C-alpha cells in the first residue's frame, strides 16, 4: 500500500493500544517533597553509581547496531531482501516481549548486579555471533537475544539503582540521569555508526565490532567499579 499508508496504520494502531492501556497504569503515590540539594557524587552513591551511569550509556551504544542496522544488514548486506529481514525483526520483537520477565526471574535468583553483568556479556556475544555466521540459526539467535536484552537491561538498571541508592527521591534522580545518558549514547552512536558506515563503503563489520567493544568496555568498567564498594544505602 505504500510507506505513507504503513506509517499512518502504525500510528493508528499505536493510538488504539495506548487508549486500551491508559487506565491500567497504577495511581500516583503522594510522597513528601524532598528538599532540593546540590549534586553530590557521594550523595548519589559514589563511584559505583557513577560507573553505572557510564555503563548504561555504553550499553545504549552497544545496542544501536541491532536497533538501527539489523534489518538493513540482513536485507542489503546479506542480500536476503526486506521480507526475510522483516521475519528476523519479528523474532527481535518476540525477544523484547520475553526479555524483561525472563531477566527479572534470573535477577530474583542471583541478584541484579550479576544479571546486569551477564546481560552486558551476552550483548557482546550476540553481536559477534552475526559477524561470525550468517546462517539462519545465528541470525535468529542474535535477533531474539538482543531483542530480549534491550528492554531487559532497562529492568536490570532500575533494579541495580534500587540496590545502590535506598532513598526514593535520589533513586528517581539517578534514574533520570541514567535515562539522559542512555539517550545521549544512542544519539552519539547513531551518528557515529552512520558516519562509519559511509566512511567504510557500507561495511557492517566495523559497526557491529564497535558495538561489541562498547558492551565489553561497559562490563570491564562494572567489574572494576565493583571493587570500590558492594552496596551504598543512601
Amino acid at each position: 500500500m505504500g510507506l505513507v499508508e504503513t506509517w499512518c496504520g502504525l500510528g493508528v494502531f499505536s493510538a488504539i493500544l495506548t487508549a486500551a492501556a491508559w487506565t491500567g497504569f497504577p495511581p500516583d503515590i503522594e510522597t513528601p517533597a524532598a528538599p532540593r540539594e546540590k549534586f553530590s557524587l557521594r550523595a548519589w552513591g559514589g563511584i559505583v553509581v557513577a560507573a553505572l551511569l557510564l555503563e548504561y550509556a555504553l550499553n545504549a551504544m552497544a545496542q544501536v547496531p541491532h536497533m538501527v542496522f539489523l534489518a538493513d544488514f540482513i536485507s542489503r548486506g546479506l542480500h536476503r531482501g526486506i521480507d526475510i529481514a522483516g521475519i528476523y525483526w519479528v523474532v527481535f520483537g518476540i525477544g523484547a516481549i520475553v526479555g524483561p520477565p525472563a531477566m527479572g526471574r534470573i535477577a530474583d535468583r542471583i541478584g541484579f548486579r550479576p544479571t546486569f553483568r551477564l546481560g552486558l556479556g551476552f550483548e557482546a556475544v550476540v553481536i559477534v555471533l552475526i559477524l561470525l555466521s550468517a546462517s539462519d540459526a545465528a541470525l535468529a539467535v542474535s535477533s531474539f537475544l538482543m531483542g530480549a536484552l534491550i528492554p531487559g537491561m532497562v529492568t536490570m538498571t532500575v533494579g541495580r539503582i534500587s540496590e545502590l541508592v535506598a532513598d526514593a527521591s535520589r533513586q528517581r534522580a539517578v534514574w533520570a540521569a541514567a535515562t539522559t545518558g542512555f539517550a545521549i549514547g544512542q544519539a552519539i552512536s547513531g551518528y557515529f555508526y552512520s558516519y562509519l558506515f559511509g566512511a567504510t563503503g557500507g561495511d557492517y563489520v566495523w559497526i557491529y565490532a564497535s558495538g561489541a567493544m562498547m558492551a565489553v568496555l561497559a562490563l570491564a568498567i562494572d567489574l572494576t567499579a565493583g571493587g570500590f564498594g558492594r552496596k551504598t544505602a543512601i
Side-chain angles (χ1 to χ4, degrees), residues 26-49:
D28 292 334
I29 300 175
E30 296 294 334
T31 56
R36 295 181 63 87
E37 58 182 352
K38 295 181 179 180
F39 169 80
S40 169
L41 182 61
R42 184 176 180 182
W44 275 26
I47 294 177
V48 178
V49 171

Side-chain angles (χ1 to χ4, degrees), residues 179-231:
T179 303
T180 301
F182 187 93
I184 292 173
Q186 278 189 323
I188 292 174
S189 59
Y191 281 109
F192 172 70
Y193 294 145
S194 296
Y195 168 79
L196 192 61
F197 186 72
T200 59
D203 192 344
Y204 298 88
V205 172
W206 291 102
I207 296 173
Y208 282 99
S210 298
M213 289 175 59
M214 296 299 120
V216 171
L217 179 58
L219 179 58
I221 292 172
D222 193 77
L223 292 172
T224 302
F228 288 94
R230 292 180 175 273
K231 181 178 180 181

Side-chain angles (χ1 to χ4, degrees), residues 62-71 73-74 78 80 85 87-96 99 119 121-151 204 207-209 211-212:
Q63 294 172 350
V64 165
H66 270 68
M67 295 170 67
V68 177
F69 294 96
L70 178 64
F73 170 63
I74 296 172
L78 299 179
R80 301 284 183 88
I87 293 174
Y88 287 107
W89 195 243
V90 170
V91 173
F92 183 96
I94 294 172
F122 270 107
E123 280 185 354
V125 171
V126 300
I127 293 171
V128 172
L129 179 60
I130 61 173
L131 292 178
L132 298 177
S133 174
S135 67
D136 291 337
L139 291 173
V141 170
S142 184
S143 299
F144 178 83
L145 289 180
M146 185 58 81
L149 286 164
I150 288 175
Y204 298 88
I207 296 173
Y208 282 99

Side-chain angles (χ1 to χ4, degrees), residues 78-174:
L78 299 179
H79 309 291
R80 301 284 183 88
I82 193 64
D83 292 338
I84 299 299
I87 293 174
Y88 287 107
W89 195 243
V90 170
V91 173
F92 183 96
I94 294 172
I97 296 172
V98 174
M103 293 187 71
R105 181 63 63 87
I106 296 172
D108 287 340
R109 292 180 175 273
I110 66 175
F112 283 105
R113 183 173 66 176
T115 309
F116 182 83
R117 290 176 175 176
L118 283 174
L120 292 174
F122 270 107
E123 280 185 354
V125 171
V126 300
I127 293 171
V128 172
L129 179 60
I130 61 173
L131 292 178
L132 298 177
S133 174
S135 67
D136 291 337
L139 291 173
V141 170
S142 184
S143 299
F144 178 83
L145 289 180
M146 185 58 81
L149 286 164
I150 288 175
M153 290 298 286
V154 176
T155 306
M156 293 306 100
T157 305
V158 173
R160 187 75 181 114
I161 290 173
S162 68
E163 287 183 339
L164 294 168
V165 184
D167 181 75
S169 63
R170 286 176 178 159
Q171 285 179 7
R172 289 191 290 271
V174 173

